[in-house]
Amino acid sequence: MRNRRRRTRSALAVLLTATLGLTGCDALGGGSPRPSASRTHSPDVWNRSPSSIAAVGDSITRGFDACTVLSDCPEASWATGTSARVDSLAVRLLGRAKAAERSWNYAVTGARMADLPGQIAQAATRRPQLVTVMVGANDACRATASAMTPVADFRTGFEEALRTLHRTLPRTQVYVASVPNLKRLWSQGRTSPLGRQVWKLGICPSMLSEPDALDTAATLRRESVQQRVQAYNKVLEEVCARDRRCRFDGGAVFDFDFGAGQLSQWDWFHPSVDGQARLAAIAYRAVTAEDRAEAAG
């Protein structure tokens, strides 16, 4: 009897040991082995060949002043335009025929970050696989430097826009272009007598008013606008980095050296047709890059 109890206890011990061996990993997560660094790394879910595109943003995406004076020219848009001289992102990704049917432009001249959630909501009705965003210039281009959109409000607007999109379309991707270097545009355009005259109509007064003034006050005003644009781009980069379906251009648009040939002959501020083509090329490289690092490189 004693031997039988001893054998029973031994069998129970073996069974208990085996059971603990099978279930003891629950503390690490449901019986799964301890995750390795490679397993915890989020895979790149980016689709480099989206089948539909919606564009949101401001006058640059509307092709303002690219074709005629003080007018939108959406056919020259870097994002969704049909012009063969631009070869827009939509045309490069979808082909000319499909781009005409599967791309939509919801950008509005004069739009600021506060307008982006509404534009995104409109774009989402088309269920695009990719949304392009270029906004922020008008947040810096105010009547005075003190009237520029606060950085915190800019961040809130961008975060809300992405939430608005992903509530409806969680798998839709977002390409975000950096805000252009407004100070560089001033330095290029101020050499044109026509450009200086058009600027008096109210184009980006915080940066472009009194274009020939080089006194301390004018210099400090332009520098404050420049710093605000850089802060906006930092926000775009940081918020986008938290979303694995978002790609920022790494500052490529901000860094692009717009010359006379890339600026509108009517206002020496907005991109010309050639400038729009350069923006399309920047976007295409970012969207089709192998990974985020290459897209931002």
Side-chain angles (χ1 to χ4, degrees):
M1 179 67 70
R2 188 173 298 168
N3 289 338
R4 183 179 301 171
R5 288 199 189 108
R6 195 177 293 120
R7 286 197 300 270
T8 301
R9 283 197 297 269
S10 298
L12 287 172
V14 171
L15 179 60
L16 180 60
T17 301
T19 302
L20 289 173
L22 291 172
T23 63
C25 293
D26 283 352
L28 300 176
S32 300
R34 187 180 299 274
S36 64
S38 62
R39 291 191 180 188
T40 58
H41 177 71
S42 297
D44 193 344
V45 297
W46 188 264
N47 175 12
R48 297 163 60 203
S49 302
S51 62
S52 55
I53 300 172
V56 297
D58 55 29
S59 56
I60 295 178
T61 301
R62 291 299 298 175
F64 185 82
D65 268 4
C67 306
T68 54
V69 62
L70 300 179
S71 298
D72 288 349
C73 185
E75 60 267 30
S77 168
W78 65 272
T80 59
T82 56
S83 171
R85 295 171 60 195
V86 173
D87 200 15
S88 70
L89 176 64
V91 170
R92 295 175 194 231
L93 290 173
L94 310 179
R96 197 164 301 280
K98 288 184 178 179
E101 300 174 354
R102 302 291 298 162
S103 65
W104 309 277
N105 193 326
Y106 289 97
V108 177
T109 292
R112 288 180 273 166
M113 180 57 81
D115 302 306
L116 195 66
Q119 291 184 12
I120 287 276
Q122 286 184 293
T125 64
R126 297 286 189 173
R127 306 191 69 80
Q129 289 193 357
L130 174 69
V131 172
T132 67
V133 175
M134 182 182 286
V135 71
N138 290 316
D139 291 272
C141 287
R142 309 304 296 151
T144 63
S146 62
M148 293 185 293
T149 301
V151 176
D153 292 350
F154 190 86
R155 180 183 297 272
T156 297
F158 188 41
E159 290 173 338
E160 181 184 350
L162 291 184
R163 284 196 301 268
T164 298
L165 176 67
H166 289 322
R167 272 197 300 265
T168 305
L169 303 172
R171 293 174 180 260
T172 291
Q173 301 176 163
V174 183
Y175 161 73
V176 181
S178 50
V179 183
N181 187 330
L182 303 181
K183 191 174 182 181
R184 180 179 290 130
L185 298 181
W186 162 76
S187 67
Q188 288 288 337
R190 65 189 291 263
T191 63
S192 167
L194 176 59
R196 293 197 300 271
Q197 288 301 313
V198 174
W199 290 356
K200 292 179 181 179
L201 298 176
I203 296 178
C204 199
S206 57
M207 176 63 75
L208 303 182
S209 64
E210 300 181 287
D212 290 326
L214 298 175
D215 57 89
T216 301
T219 300
L220 289 175
R221 167 172 54 84
R222 296 187 193 105
E223 187 57 33
S224 69
V225 176
Q226 180 78 344
Q227 291 176 0
R228 186 61 57 90
V229 167
Q230 291 172 323
Y232 291 162
N233 281 331
K234 186 66 174 175
V235 167
L236 296 175
E237 180 181 22
E238 290 174 349
V239 175
C240 190
R242 299 200 300 263
D243 185 338
R244 63 179 184 163
R245 296 188 189 274
C246 184
R247 281 190 177 182
F248 180 60
D249 72 359
V253 171
F254 178 85
D255 291 337
F256 182 74
D257 190 6
F258 283 91
Q262 287 82 50
L263 295 177
S264 166
Q265 62 180 308
W266 291 287
D267 68 19
W268 287 79
F269 182 75
H270 288 89
S272 64
V273 169
D274 183 66
Q276 291 280 347
R278 305 301 180 95
L279 295 177
I282 290 172
Y284 182 74
R285 285 196 296 271
V287 171
T288 59
E290 290 283 351
D291 52 38
R292 275 186 172 184
E294 183 181 340

